Amino acid sequence: MNIRLILTDIEGCITKNKGYPLDLLSLQWIRENLKKLPPISLNTGRSKPYIEAILQALGDFQDSIGENGCTIYLVEKDDIVLHPIINDNILKEKEELKKFLKEKIKNLGHIEPGKEVCVSLFPEEGILVKDLAAYTQELIKEEFPEFQLVYSSVAVDITPKGIDKGSGMDILLEMKNLSYDEVLGIGDSLGDFPFLSKLKYKATPANGHPKIKEIATYVAKEEDIKGLIEIFKHFFF
């Protein structure tokens, strides 16, 4: 194996879920073993500030993919670049979409603030993510056909069509001059399928979605960050 980069999701891999505390002991293990590992980049639906915080917790500061492929966080510049297909018209439509959904999903979910392009919806208490996703898909398919929807264990993410974690990864790998065969991808949800499916090496914690487990090179016995460490040990120790 010639793995030169680890590319991992956050929720379900580094963290348990939104609203759960970080596993500080597991993060310490990762920091203490960074010299034995390739660089670690993130591929997440989260925005730049959260990505930066997780990189700080890991102790490895690598350019990373945010907002489900809509942005690339450039560490040295402390800035983001947008996916090349995003233009002013798309950004304008995104704002219209947010206004539309804010009214339509009252009492079912709310829009996460602070994102540049991706519109992320979190369900209210008692509402399942998959039900919010199904309802939202019906709302936008006619009104906003140029946008697409995916969901994870915690959120519904809406991005312009043609943008996902796979297309975001393509931009990052081009920047780093890396091929698909030089990356270990780690993810747990269906939103991770577009990038994991392109890679030779891919793994998932025990909490991974069945369709992710089907394509994984390695499926950990442990969940979340303990599963992540198990994956690291399998490939690099």
Side-chain angles (χ1 to χ4, degrees):
M1 290 186 298
N2 182 30
I3 297 173
R4 297 173 57 196
L5 180 72
I6 296 167
L7 188 58
T8 179
D9 188 18
I10 296 178
E11 267 87 12
C13 296
I14 296 173
T15 66
K16 182 174 179 62
N17 217 326
K18 189 178 177 71
Y20 284 82
L22 296 174
D23 183 340
L24 299 181
L25 289 178
S26 293
L27 286 167
Q28 181 180 353
W29 184 94
I30 293 173
R31 288 195 302 274
E32 289 174 349
N33 287 277
L34 283 176
K35 291 183 179 179
K36 300 177 183 177
L37 299 170
I40 302 172
S41 289
L42 307 176
N43 197 351
T44 176
R46 293 297 200 122
S47 60
K48 182 258 185 189
Y50 192 76
I51 292 172
E52 183 179 8
I54 294 298
L55 292 176
Q56 287 176 325
L58 292 172
D60 197 8
F61 298 90
Q62 302 294 328
D63 296 344
S64 294
I65 303 153
E67 299 192 28
N68 282 291
C70 291
T71 65
I72 305 293
Y73 170 42
L74 304 176
V75 172
E76 285 191 7
K77 294 184 177 181
D78 191 29
D79 200 2
I80 61 169
V81 293
L82 300 183
H83 192 287
I85 74 171
I86 296 170
N87 55 36
D88 289 343
N89 287 336
I90 288 176
L91 294 175
K92 183 178 178 181
E93 283 292 306
K94 182 262 298 187
E95 292 301 323
E96 293 299 320
L97 173 62
K98 287 175 68 175
K99 292 177 184 177
F100 175 79
L101 289 175
K102 189 174 182 180
E103 179 65 29
K104 295 292 185 179
I105 66 168
K106 281 182 179 178
N107 303 319
L108 296 175
H110 59 275
I111 298 172
E112 183 182 35
K115 292 194 173 180
E116 299 287 333
V117 183
C118 179
V119 179
S120 294
L121 312 177
F122 287 88
E124 304 298 354
E125 186 174 356
I127 304 296
L128 298 177
V129 176
K130 66 177 183 178
D131 292 338
L132 179 60
Y135 179 73
T136 305
Q137 181 65 65
E138 288 300 311
L139 288 175
I140 70 171
K141 69 179 182 180
E142 299 293 338
E143 296 288 336
F144 295 90
E146 65 277 18
F147 287 82
Q148 63 191 12
L149 178 152
V150 296
Y151 68 93
S152 65
S153 60
V154 297
V156 177
D157 294 309
I158 305 168
T159 59
K161 283 186 175 177
I163 301 178
D164 55 30
K165 288 186 176 183
S167 64
M169 177 182 70
D170 289 344
I171 296 169
L172 182 68
L173 296 193
E174 184 177 356
M175 289 177 172
K176 291 181 173 291
N177 195 28
L178 294 174
S179 72
Y180 292 151
D181 291 353
E182 296 175 304
V183 180
L184 169 62
I186 304 170
D188 68 305
S189 71
L190 289 176
D192 299 318
F193 191 92
F195 90 92
L196 294 177
S197 61
K198 294 181 175 184
L199 300 175
K200 181 177 181 180
Y201 304 107
K202 50 244 183 184
T204 185
N207 50 288
H209 189 281
K211 289 188 177 180
I212 300 299
K213 290 180 177 178
E214 285 178 8
I215 65 168
T217 310
Y218 181 77
V219 178
K221 297 179 178 63
E222 298 281 351
E223 295 185 348
D224 309 314
I225 192 168
K226 288 184 170 58
L228 184 72
I229 290 174
E230 181 185 333
I231 292 165
F232 289 169
K233 290 178 178 179
H234 173 78
F235 282 93
F236 304 113
F237 288 77

